[in-house]
Amino acid sequence: MALTEKYKELIDVAGQYGVAVNDSGNVLKVDGSVPSADVKNKMWDIYSRLDPNFRSGDLVLNVKVDAPESGKVKVVTNESNLNIRKGPGTDQPIVGKAAHGDVITLVGKANDQWWLVRDNDGEEGYCYAQYLEPVQ
Amino acid sequence: MKTFRLLSVFTLILALGVSVSSCKKVSDADLQKNAQTVLATMPDAAGVTVSVADQVATLTGTVKDDATKAYVESAVAGVEKIKSVVNNLEVVPPAPDYAALDAAINTGLTDALKDHPKVQATVQDGVITLTGEVKQSELETIMQKLSALNPVQIINNATVK
C-alpha cells in the first residue's frame, strides 16, 4: 500500500494547517508547524494508531507547535520536574527545576531543542523544548 | 661546391623536417596542456581527463550533472586551436552528503535520550536506529524527540515493554 494511502488521515490534517508532506518512496516526511499542541497531539495519536509502536520506519513526523518568541509555556513532562540548565545541552549544569504542570515564562529560543525560560522564582535557564508547550 | 650544395640541402631538409614534426608534436601536447590548465580552474571538472590528437580534444571521466558536462565541453572548445571536442563524459550524480546531518543528530541524541537510559540510538546517513528497551508509555515521547532532530528515517528496533 502506498504511504500516502496508509497515512491519508494524517496527510489530511497536515493539509488543513499547511504542513508539508514529502514522499521519498519509502519514507513519508511530514514537516512543519501547527497552531496548537492539541493539533500536534492529534497527529501523533493518528500516527500511533496507523503504525502501532512506530515499527514501520516509514514516517518522520516533525511537527512543531507555533510558539511566539516569548510568552507562557507549560511544563509537560510525564510526571517529574523539568531541569532548567545554564546552557542549551544536557551537559550543562542544572540551575533550577520547574514542576510538572507549572506555567513558566518563555524568554527566547536557542534552537528547536532548547528554549530559554524564566521560572516563577525568577531563575533563568534553558529547558528541553519537547517538555514545554505554549499556552494561549 | 657540390658537397656544399648537398650539405646545405640536407641541412635544409633536416631543419624543415625537425621544425615540421616538432611543430605538430608540440602543438597537440601544448593544446592538451592548455586544456588541462583550463580544467584545473574548474572544481567541478576534477574527475575529467582531456587528451588531444590532431587538434581534436577528447573528454573522458565523470561529472555531477548535464550542465557541468556541457560547461566543461564549451570551456575546452574555447581553448585556442582546438578544432572540436569529443565529449565522452559520463554523468554520475554524487551521493548525498549526510556528514553534517549525522553530526547534528548525534549531538541532539544525547539530549533526547537522557531521560531514557535503556534505549540506545545510532545514526548513519541521516537514519536513526533505535535499539534496547523502551516502555510503551515513553515510546511516543522518544519518537517525538527524535523526529524533532529532522532525520531521514527512524527505525525502531527497540523492544517495547
Side-chain angles (χ1 to χ4, degrees):
Chain A
M1 181 164 59
L3 290 178
T4 45
E5 234 174 282
K6 174 176 174 184
Y7 291 112
K8 185 178 180 302
E9 196 183 337
L10 191 63
I11 293 168
D12 287 348
V13 178
Q16 284 173 36
Y17 298 99
V19 171
V21 177
N22 268 304
D23 187 0
S24 73
N26 57 353
V27 180
L28 199 67
K29 240 183 156 182
V30 180
D31 212 331
S33 301
V34 292
S36 71
D38 281 351
V39 178
K40 178 182 169 178
N41 292 338
K42 183 178 160 193
M43 292 177 90
W44 275 95
D45 285 349
I46 297 171
Y47 180 16
S48 134
R49 175 158 42 79
L50 296 179
D51 187 31
N53 284 342
F54 311 107
R55 278 292 180 210
S56 306
D58 53 5
L59 178 75
V60 175
L61 180 56
N62 184 11
V63 283
K64 295 185 273 284
V65 179
D66 263 331
E69 282 302 310
S70 57
K72 292 286 176 189
V73 288
K74 190 176 170 188
V75 177
V76 288
T77 50
N78 280 343
E79 52 196 29
S80 55
N81 292 335
L82 178 62
N83 289 328
I84 302 176
R85 292 176 183 273
K86 192 176 177 188
T90 48
D91 53 346
Q92 297 287 318
I94 296 168
V95 295
K97 298 209 185 251
H100 169 77
D102 263 8
V103 174
I104 57 177
T105 308
L106 173 65
V107 179
K109 294 174 184 175
N111 51 46
D112 280 349
Q113 270 76 48
W114 290 93
W115 290 358
L116 180 61
V117 297
R118 190 184 313 118
D119 72 8
N120 299 325
D121 304 327
E123 190 77 65
E124 247 186 48
Y126 292 84
C127 285
Y128 200 60
Q130 290 287 323
Y131 292 127
L132 297 171
E133 198 177 276
V135 289
Q136 262 73 29
Chain B
M1 189 64 192
K2 202 178 173 186
T3 321
F4 176 74
R5 209 205 269 156
L6 254 176
L7 198 69
S8 62
V9 166
F10 184 69
T11 313
L12 191 69
I13 288 169
L14 197 73
L16 264 174
V18 165
S19 73
V20 164
S21 71
S22 70
C23 175
K24 189 170 188 294
K25 200 176 159 197
V26 168
S27 182
D28 271 351
D30 274 355
L31 288 180
Q32 184 163 323
K33 218 169 94 189
N34 292 347
Q36 279 162 349
T37 308
V38 169
L39 291 180
T41 63
M42 303 161 64
D44 285 347
V48 177
T49 310
V50 60
S51 61
V52 177
D54 297 329
Q55 289 173 262
V56 175
T58 302
L59 298 172
T60 49
T62 57
V63 287
K64 63 174 183 176
D65 53 29
D66 285 324
T68 308
K69 180 177 173 175
Y71 183 62
V72 169
E73 180 181 330
S74 65
V76 171
V79 174
E80 207 177 345
K81 289 188 180 150
I82 293 265
K83 276 197 224 155
S84 61
V85 179
V86 179
N87 193 342
N88 289 338
L89 290 177
E90 203 185 332
V91 174
V92 180
D97 185 7
Y98 290 111
L101 179 62
D102 283 358
I105 291 176
N106 253 323
T107 310
L109 279 178
T110 316
D111 294 344
L113 297 181
K114 186 205 127 240
D115 295 341
H116 315 281
K118 284 189 171 170
V119 69
Q120 292 89 42
T122 54
V123 61
Q124 190 175 7
D125 296 342
V127 178
I128 299 176
T129 305
L130 273 186
T131 51
E133 210 176 89
V134 61
K135 279 187 226 135
Q136 174 93 51
S137 59
E138 63 175 353
L139 180 58
E140 188 170 304
T141 308
I142 293 174
M143 290 299 287
Q144 289 191 8
K145 289 177 180 175
L146 299 181
S147 301
L149 302 176
N150 200 24
V152 172
Q153 188 182 7
I154 302 169
I155 296 172
N156 174 19
N157 288 340
T159 311
V160 179
K161 292 267 170 175

